[in-house]
Amino acid sequence: MEFLPMRESRTLENEFVREGLTRLQEEAFSERGPGYGAEEVVSTSVVQKAISRRYDDVRLNGKWGQADISSDFSDEAMDRWLLELRERCYVVGEGTWMTYRVFLYPDEPGRLEVFDEEILTKGLHSTSGRLNAPSSAATLVSELIAFPRTAENIPQWMWATFSAEGVTPPLYNPEFQSVDWKNRRRPVTDRGTDFTVEPTVIDPSLEPGVFAKISKKLFGA
């Protein structure tokens, strides 16, 4: 199955995902793994260009709890896999997934659910008071420079943050196949922005409409 456009949350299934889930299953239920002796492990990661957060929930003897802090997944199996997955899942002008939830079991295949939003609870079975703060406008700017979206594909929760902080977000420019921000422009590939290319300067007098379309969303004008 190919990676699909990302506008709604879904379960991802393809060879790259299945291979990654198999590695995580082997690590999770090994003697030194976070799910040793458990019936299930659920790992939730919020991953953006500037920040990442992960919380592991373990069901042991029918009860949910946090993973032992002395055990963890390897960087290669979890963190690097998710970073690669983000690039593979990028859809030009639409963005990539924000939250990744891995379900692992000792005797059956795992699954991966992905979300185009920040899941702010600290783990799957947290109490209502255990929440992370939402990302700042600066964090979201970094994300949209790396994985740019058109104005129409920036979700309302991002617009609310930009509006509250008076920040103009980077935008994907279909005409130039680029990300445009603060009078700068970089080319965009099918795996995100090409940071090997130095940004060029946009002359606003020559391109007066570059950011005009976002003024209504930001400032109601």
Side-chain angles (χ1 to χ4, degrees):
M1 179 186 237
E2 296 294 325
F3 290 105
L4 300 173
M6 53 158 294
R7 292 272 51 86
E8 60 188 50
S9 302
R10 59 165 48 90
T11 298
L12 288 186
E13 293 184 40
N14 56 45
E15 184 176 357
F16 181 78
V17 169
R18 286 190 293 270
E19 290 176 351
L21 290 173
T22 298
R23 287 193 299 271
L24 289 172
Q25 180 190 46
E26 293 172 353
E27 287 196 7
F29 301 102
S30 67
E31 186 173 354
R32 296 183 179 180
Y36 181 63
E39 298 93 49
E40 183 177 359
V41 174
V42 180
S43 181
T44 303
S45 297
V46 179
V47 187
Q48 297 180 36
K49 181 65 176 178
I51 64 167
S52 62
R53 294 168 289 196
R54 176 159 59 87
Y55 301 94
D56 298 330
D57 297 283
V58 175
R59 181 163 60 91
L60 180 62
N61 299 323
K63 295 183 179 180
W64 285 99
Q66 298 297 304
D68 189 324
I69 60 174
S70 65
S71 59
D72 198 3
F73 297 102
S74 67
D75 288 343
E76 181 179 0
M78 179 64 82
D79 298 337
R80 295 181 189 175
W81 177 63
L82 291 179
L83 291 174
E84 173 69 15
L85 186 65
R86 271 166 56 77
E87 290 191 9
R88 289 178 179 234
C89 285
Y90 177 63
V91 177
V92 175
E94 292 188 27
T96 191
W97 305 103
M98 290 281 186
T99 301
Y100 302 78
R101 180 163 280 166
V102 176
F103 295 81
L104 299 170
Y105 313 94
D107 300 315
E108 59 183 275
R111 73 180 193 276
L112 172 67
E113 293 182 0
V114 289
F115 306 82
D116 189 25
E117 61 181 307
E118 296 179 300
I119 293 182
L120 299 176
T121 55
K122 293 183 177 180
L124 182 61
H125 299 279
S126 297
T127 61
S128 59
R130 297 173 61 197
L131 300 174
N132 283 298
S135 292
S136 66
T139 297
L140 296 178
V141 164
S142 295
E143 176 69 9
L144 292 183
I145 290 175
F147 298 102
R149 307 179 185 216
T150 62
E152 295 77 11
N153 283 314
I154 296 177
Q156 184 55 46
W157 65 270
M158 284 192 187
W159 281 115
T161 299
F162 291 133
S163 297
E165 298 188 35
V167 172
T168 299
L171 288 179
Y172 177 71
N173 187 327
E175 180 180 357
F176 293 94
Q177 298 181 321
S178 65
V179 58
D180 297 351
W181 82 105
K182 290 187 176 180
N183 295 335
R184 297 291 186 270
R185 171 174 291 151
R186 263 193 168 121
V188 174
T189 73
D190 60 1
R191 289 174 67 100
T193 296
D194 185 353
F195 286 99
T196 67
V197 178
E198 288 298 317
T200 58
V201 177
I202 300 171
D203 185 341
S205 66
L206 299 178
E207 299 182 44
V210 170
F211 296 105
K213 64 173 64 179
I214 68 171
S215 62
K216 184 174 182 180
K217 282 185 174 288
L218 278 175
F219 309 116

